[in-house]
Amino acid sequence: MEKTINLTLKIWRQNGPKEKGRFETYKVNNISTDSSFLEMMDILNEQLINENKEPVAFDHDCREGICGMCSLYINGRPHGPDDDVTTCQLHMRKFKDGETVTIEPWRAAAFPVIKDLIVDRNAFDKIIAAGGYVSVSTGGVPDANAIPISKIDADESMDSASCIGCGACVAACKNSSAMLFVSAKVSQLALLPQGRVEAKRRAKAMVAKMDELGFGGCTNTGACEVECPKNISITNIARLNREYLKARFAE
Amino acid sequence: MSVLNARIPEGPLAQKWTNYKDHQKLVNPANKRKLDVIIVGTGLAGASAAASLGEMGFNVKNFTIQDSPRRAHSIAAQGGINAAKNYPNDGDSVFRLFYDTIKGGDYRAREANVYRLAEVSNSIIDQCVAQGVPFAREYGGLLDNRSFGGAQVSRTFYAKGQTGQQLLLGAYQALMRQVNAGTVKMYTRTELVDIVIVDGKARGIIARDLVTGELQRHFGHAVVLATGGYGNAFFLSTNAMGSNGSAAVKAFHKGAFFANPCMAQIHPTCIPVHGEFQSKLTLMSESLRNDGRIWVPAKKEDAEAIRAGKLKPTQIAEEDRDYYLERRYPAFGNLVPRDVASRAAKERCDAGYGVGTGLAVYLDFKSSIERLGKNVIEARYGNLFQMYEKIVDENPYETPMMIYPAIHYTMGGIWVDYELQTTIPGLFAAGEANFSDHGANRLGASALMQGLADGYFVLPYTIQNYLADDIRTPRMSTEEKEFVEAEKAVKSRFEKLMSIKGNRSVDSLHKELGLVMWDFVGMGRNKKGLQHAIERIAEIKKEFWSNVRIPGDIKGMNIELEKANRLADFIEIGDLMARDALNREESCGGHFREEYQTGEGEALRQDDKFAFVSCWQYKGDDAEPVLHKENLVYESVKMVQRNYK
């Protein structure tokens, strides 16, 4: 049955990348616990517009947990207090009446704030552009069933491929490392015969780009795995390290 | 003689595409570098076209409103992608896939285009596997298939419930490879706001940088719109919040015809609406109908007790359940096409048998779990079950899911010929943005097929054919008067929006439009309702242009301004949808006119009067659009009443 709650929101507001940011406090009342977190933000914004104030800017799009657009650091956790979900799938039943909720953008040097809660995650595209693909052009490829792939490898590859590129791993990491993101792509492709051919080059190129863009190193704290909305495992990082070392030894 | 020429190649159906490719014009490698192609959108169609044209050596500029090309809404497609591989040896063929698509579209699609789609479908699977798309496999290591609605074969390839994600990431990675190679330049958080026409040809676009608010001019020898559908005219839909029809409206204003705007697909299996704060509807993949059985209580008093919270669905005995799809359509059962399944759900709920709020039916996995085990169901649909539980707070392994139809996809779109070229030379449309392949209803797992077919295997040929005549056209300066004037018009539109300073938020107006659309231009349409809708939409348009409130500044990032600009276009699309639905006095596929149904409540086509594509031409802001017709000629299939019984 429908229940409603009242909340105090402490939200990071920042006009632009070079402007100074600050927390602003807002109240929202009668929020249905069946509504999603972003619907609660919609209600806040509607309230602000009606008061002739500028609404809070935040990234979101598919609202079903797959596009990776939504972010938000909620009460100190990327994607908030629920497990295995993105912010758009987080529902208000996870909050208590009267609670104060702190909402911040991802904090990482490689993800500068654009406005309020929106950050620039272009660095992820640059890492993929550096080598996160199989170098085949359209046409002239063999029949899809020409190379059998064991179900175990295909399933494991699929698990790694589930990454949505949201950046929660970077936001969760005290070093702002992108290792979980990079290792997921390296693993997905290294597990398949199609991707094996370029595995060494790929691992080296992606790691080099990640370092160049200002992401930190991995110190195995595992926070990324805990906060990943798609359960990407840190065993991917182990595989990346293996691939990377193999590539270096081969030099 | 119609003004429309679909430019279908000569020869028998199965030879048309081969003939086209054998005789099309080519551009040599040195000239390709001198030719610029603008591609708007980075979904399956846009990303695959940009990657392929970049690989060929064209100079590509690719635009997206998102922060990254990987966010495009193709990513959310769940169930799968069709292809005529016949790997399961169940009798599939290119002709059968073609036939099922034509029939599923209720004989309102163009034969030649659909045949080509079926023909290239197999190459798509080969391409994606080569890219490292981790499709589901069997223990022997070969690719697995599942069944989808409207087909009696298993031809759907899938990657868990995330097929769209994996296909899009494949295309995205191919695209980023070209960005790295320097053949594609990417413009993220940048929105098309107008199309520039020079001497009757599309020669560029005006774009708006969504971070700075600045307008940009871009030249291209050709322009491709791969900007998706316009389902968000309904406010609540399964589309992403940012999905919009603005590019299509810009093309419409510049002279491109808008085809079959009323053809919108209502998907039968979405999580039902639960409150007025709701911002979007979540789809539960059609693939669930492989193993889930749809039912409502057979007794009205049971339905009432469930709605009142006095009974649980698990307490309803087997004989008191009405598996209405299995009852009405024994041949296809739960796997009837989407339009049929949606209407059947509405029929039961309207009759008082709905559950939940009254606008919901059950999708039950109990018998499949008993038959196959929970593990198998979890492996097939685990992510969907988790998504359902997070949203609804109920465990679908234990209690049936509640579902209800919602707007999902638009078959209508910008009119294109066989080459995917619009009525404006040099302006192409691909993927959901065009109207071409799905007729009045799209079959499940065919959107991914069409997006990638257009981008990987059709546009690279047809754009080259167009550009072969353009090798002597030098790059144009964006200081030319056509660019300057187009930018000026855009600037004044944005200034006008900011100057209204009214009292209504964009969302409140959008919700108002959405309700009108759902009530009168939704699953059941009739003459009176559609006329009423046209009047109401005109009122909303007036209210919008006199009373919308957009806080903030025209410079810098202003999300309300972005939304207002798109809503202005949705209002126009809503009007066009209602007009088209009013004009089409028949029921076909997703377009159901209550006046035209069989005694059993099935859609009743009027082939003698309406076997054509409705193509609307813009005549100015205050004038009514003019209808042109592209007559549909069927040479290889016979038009019959669809029968899934």
Side-chain angles (χ1 to χ4, degrees):
Chain A
M1 285 298 103
E2 189 175 273
K3 204 185 121 199
T4 63
I5 53 175
N6 301 335
L7 298 168
T8 302
L9 306 172
K10 278 179 68 184
I11 300 181
W12 185 260
R13 304 296 309 254
Q14 185 173 337
N15 284 334
K18 297 199 175 82
E19 313 264 333
K20 217 173 156 221
R22 76 237 169 246
F23 278 106
E24 295 268 351
T25 305
Y26 304 98
K27 298 231 184 249
V28 285
N29 294 331
N30 300 318
I31 300 296
S32 163
T33 51
D34 282 339
S35 66
S36 72
F37 193 84
L38 294 184
E39 284 164 352
M40 182 277 292
M41 294 292 289
D42 292 341
I43 293 169
L44 168 70
N45 277 345
E46 183 77 17
Q47 209 170 292
L48 291 173
I49 293 164
N50 288 335
E51 292 165 12
N52 236 336
K53 291 177 186 155
E54 238 193 286
V56 180
F58 60 92
D59 265 333
H60 64 100
D61 201 27
C62 78
R63 296 207 178 189
E64 47 189 86
I66 194 77
C67 74
M69 189 87 171
C70 65
S71 47
L72 303 191
Y73 210 71
I74 303 161
N75 285 345
R77 286 186 67 184
H79 295 302
D82 200 357
D83 293 328
D84 309 334
V85 292
T86 54
T87 294
C88 65
Q89 293 176 296
L90 173 65
H91 277 67
M92 297 313 293
R93 59 183 80 95
K94 297 284 167 191
F95 296 87
K96 290 188 200 76
D97 190 30
E99 193 174 336
T100 297
V101 183
T102 307
I103 309 168
E104 297 168 80
W106 283 174
R107 307 267 191 201
F111 292 162
V113 171
I114 292 174
K115 184 174 182 172
D116 295 343
L117 303 169
I118 295 181
V119 299
D120 184 353
R121 286 169 286 192
N122 202 248
F124 272 7
D125 287 340
K126 290 181 182 154
I127 294 175
I128 296 294
Y133 40 75
V134 177
S135 297
V136 291
S137 297
T138 304
V141 298
D143 183 87
N145 260 349
I147 310 172
I149 300 172
S150 91
K151 181 169 163 52
I152 296 161
D153 285 344
D155 287 351
E156 204 178 341
S157 174
M158 177 63 215
D159 287 343
S160 302
S162 301
C163 167
I164 56 172
C166 66
C169 47
V170 176
C173 177
K174 66 186 172 87
N175 308 321
S176 298
S177 170
M179 282 291 271
L180 195 64
F181 170 77
V182 173
S183 67
K185 189 50 69 187
V186 165
S187 295
Q188 176 207 336
L189 297 176
L191 280 160
L192 300 172
Q194 289 83 2
R196 205 52 248 170
V197 181
E198 295 172 279
K200 286 180 190 152
R201 192 186 64 81
R202 178 181 308 114
K204 274 199 317 195
M206 290 179 78
V207 168
K209 183 54 82 177
M210 171 181 78
D211 291 343
E212 178 197 319
L213 292 168
F215 291 99
C218 173
T219 49
N220 296 311
T221 62
C224 52
E225 181 186 62
V226 174
E227 299 297 357
C228 174
K230 297 293 154 187
N231 272 319
I232 305 291
S233 159
I234 50 171
T235 56
N236 286 299
I237 297 182
R239 184 177 287 106
L240 169 62
N241 288 335
R242 234 169 21 244
E243 292 292 336
Y244 184 76
L245 284 174
K246 269 197 275 184
R248 295 306 299 266
F249 282 135
E251 275 173 2
Chain B
M1 180 66 194
S2 165
V3 293
L4 294 160
N5 179 0
R7 293 156 54 117
I8 297 166
E10 295 296 316
L13 188 63
Q15 297 302 316
K16 286 182 192 295
W17 183 230
T18 308
N19 284 349
Y20 179 89
K21 289 191 290 185
D22 286 348
H23 298 103
Q24 62 150 129
K25 287 170 274 187
L26 300 173
V27 179
N28 91 14
N31 283 330
K32 282 183 185 141
R33 284 193 291 277
K34 295 181 202 156
L35 293 166
D36 297 349
V37 181
I38 287 175
I39 297 175
V40 187
T42 61
L44 288 176
S48 58
S52 303
L53 289 163
E55 288 159 7
M56 290 163 76
F58 291 104
N59 190 42
V60 178
K61 291 174 158 189
N62 195 190
F63 294 79
T64 172
I65 57 173
Q66 321 279 14
D67 72 333
S68 161
R70 67 180 293 157
R71 312 281 187 221
H73 195 53
S74 304
I75 200 130
Q78 296 167 353
I81 177 165
N82 288 330
K85 284 282 194 187
N86 192 31
Y87 286 156
N89 193 30
D90 54 5
D92 202 6
S93 66
V94 167
F95 186 84
R96 271 191 200 277
L97 174 54
F98 153 76
Y99 179 77
D100 286 347
T101 309
I102 286 277
K103 178 188 172 194
D106 220 351
Y107 305 94
R108 290 295 175 263
R110 195 188 287 151
E111 253 189 1
N113 285 54
V114 178
Y115 194 88
R116 176 179 62 192
L117 174 68
E119 201 178 335
V120 303
S121 67
N122 292 341
S123 303
I124 297 171
I125 305 303
D126 299 341
Q127 187 65 35
C128 295
V129 167
Q131 288 171 345
V133 169
F135 282 119
R137 286 176 185 269
E138 293 170 342
Y139 280 101
L142 302 182
L143 293 162
D144 191 20
N145 287 115
R146 56 168 57 145
S147 306
F148 254 61
Q152 286 174 315
V153 294
S154 285
R155 61 161 72 103
T156 306
F157 294 80
Y158 66 101
K160 278 196 172 169
Q162 293 143 261
T163 317
Q165 178 195 32
Q166 294 310 316
L167 297 178
L168 183 64
L169 292 181
Y172 158 73
Q173 286 160 205
L175 172 63
M176 295 319 284
R177 174 170 166 250
Q178 291 313 301
V179 170
N180 198 40
T183 61
V184 179
K185 182 154 170 46
M186 213 45 245
Y187 295 83
T188 57
R189 293 197 196 265
T190 307
E191 180 163 18
L192 173 144
V193 283
D194 208 357
I195 296 158
V196 181
I197 311 285
V198 181
D199 296 332
K201 291 179 174 172
R203 289 297 191 195
I205 64 168
I206 306 296
R208 184 168 176 271
D209 182 324
L210 300 179
V211 175
T212 63
E214 276 158 20
L215 297 176
Q216 307 167 347
R217 303 171 198 166
H218 295 277
F219 167 78
H221 288 88
V223 178
V224 179
L225 302 182
T227 48
Y230 48 89
N232 269 347
F234 285 70
F235 187 74
L236 285 181
S237 81
T238 64
N239 288 4
M241 304 300 286
S243 300
N244 68 80
S246 287
V249 171
K250 303 305 160 204
F252 178 58
H253 285 182
K254 292 285 170 161
F257 290 3
F258 206 121
N260 290 340
C262 79
M263 307 291 196
Q265 177 162 81
I266 314 249
H267 196 294
T269 53
C270 302
I271 300 178
V273 177
H274 60 89
E276 60 180 76
F277 48 81
Q278 188 136 6
S279 59
K280 81 152 269 161
L281 297 170
T282 302
L283 177 77
M284 289 285 109
S285 167
E286 175 163 321
S287 61
L288 293 169
R289 288 200 268 144
N290 269 292
D291 291 304
R293 298 177 68 196
I294 294 176
W295 63 275
V296 291
K299 294 184 199 152
K300 238 182 213 171
E301 57 269 28
D302 285 350
E304 280 160 16
I306 286 177
R307 290 201 293 272
K310 289 176 195 154
L311 256 183
K312 289 201 169 90
T314 44
Q315 292 168 315
I316 307 284
E318 201 56 34
E319 60 273 20
D320 291 332
R321 299 176 176 197
D322 176 15
Y323 296 93
Y324 57 86
L325 288 177
E326 296 168 30
R327 167 170 60 79
R328 282 178 68 177
Y329 308 100
F332 280 68
N334 292 296
L335 284 174
V336 291
R338 292 174 174 179
D339 55 331
V340 177
S342 291
R343 272 198 298 282
K346 180 181 189 305
E347 187 276 328
R348 282 293 83 191
C349 292
D350 288 352
Y353 294 92
V355 296
T357 58
L359 292 178
V361 300
Y362 288 126
L363 176 62
D364 201 333
F365 295 88
K366 187 165 159 272
S367 55
S368 294
I369 291 172
E370 282 167 5
R371 182 164 46 91
L372 301 164
K374 193 184 159 189
N375 296 348
V376 173
I377 297 298
E378 191 171 355
R380 283 184 191 165
Y381 314 111
N383 66 318
L384 300 171
F385 277 46
Q386 186 241 21
M387 197 193 297
Y388 183 87
E389 187 168 1
K390 290 292 179 187
I391 293 171
V392 182
D393 208 21
E394 284 178 353
N395 180 351
Y397 293 101
E398 284 158 15
T399 184
M401 283 184 181
M402 280 192 288
I403 52 161
Y404 198 67
I407 284 282
H408 179 56
Y409 184 91
T410 48
M411 284 75 69
I414 307 166
W415 184 88
V416 289
D417 62 16
Y418 188 75
E419 297 187 287
L420 306 185
Q421 189 164 213
T422 69
T423 42
I424 301 173
L427 182 67
F428 295 78
E432 191 180 350
N434 75 29
F435 87 102
S436 76
D437 296 349
H438 307 296
N441 173 58
R442 178 175 66 73
L443 290 181
S446 283
L448 302 186
M449 173 171 68
Q450 187 224 335
L452 290 180
D454 288 359
Y456 284 134
F457 297 109
V458 180
L459 281 177
Y461 293 93
T462 63
I463 287 194
Q464 184 167 206
N465 188 47
Y466 172 79
L467 290 177
D469 292 333
D470 242 8
I471 51 173
R472 284 182 196 83
T473 311
R475 289 194 173 106
M476 215 170 269
S477 160
T478 54
E479 298 302 322
E480 296 286 341
K481 70 173 192 313
E482 288 86 353
F483 282 89
V484 176
E485 277 165 18
E487 186 189 310
K488 218 170 119 191
V490 170
K491 191 161 173 271
S492 79
R493 172 178 162 110
F494 278 89
E495 282 167 355
K496 190 173 169 196
L497 285 168
M498 289 305 294
S499 71
I500 298 167
K501 296 187 190 306
N503 293 315
R504 298 274 307 269
S505 72
V506 177
D507 279 0
S508 75
L509 287 157
H510 199 166
K511 284 180 185 178
E512 195 178 328
L513 173 69
L515 283 178
V516 171
M517 297 302 291
W518 183 246
D519 288 346
F520 303 106
V521 199
M523 257 188 293
R525 303 161 170 180
N526 59 56
K527 189 175 179 184
K528 202 167 147 245
L530 290 164
Q531 285 166 337
H532 175 72
I534 292 169
E535 284 166 28
R536 286 285 297 119
I537 293 167
E539 285 164 22
I540 293 168
K541 183 174 180 180
K542 207 171 148 207
E543 175 78 353
F544 174 86
W545 285 103
S546 59
N547 200 21
V548 71
R549 172 183 287 182
I550 305 165
D553 201 55
I554 198 163
K555 287 215 179 77
M557 181 177 261
N558 187 337
I559 290 166
E560 289 301 306
L561 181 56
E562 290 168 27
K563 279 160 51 181
N565 179 48
R566 293 171 198 158
L567 177 56
D569 296 327
F570 279 132
I571 294 171
E572 282 200 44
I573 290 173
D575 175 73
L576 207 51
M577 290 179 81
R579 273 177 206 282
D580 188 39
L582 183 63
N583 178 75
R584 189 167 281 278
E585 293 176 332
E586 66 163 347
S587 293
C588 57
H591 169 65
F592 192 73
R593 281 285 298 264
E594 284 155 1
E595 303 96 317
Y596 304 93
Q597 50 183 307
T598 66
E600 291 164 310
E602 305 296 337
L604 190 62
R605 291 198 321 267
Q606 306 281 318
D607 290 336
D608 52 334
K609 296 190 200 111
F610 289 95
F612 61 77
V613 179
S614 307
C615 309
W616 297 89
Q617 185 183 17
Y618 179 72
K619 286 287 177 185
D621 218 14
D622 302 312
E624 289 195 5
V626 171
L627 177 69
H628 300 272
K629 297 172 186 175
E630 180 201 340
N631 288 319
L632 292 166
V633 183
Y634 289 98
E635 290 168 347
S636 303
V637 296
K638 201 166 150 268
M639 284 197 267
V640 291
Q641 174 82 33
R642 281 193 306 171
N643 182 3
Y644 293 99
K645 293 179 187 295

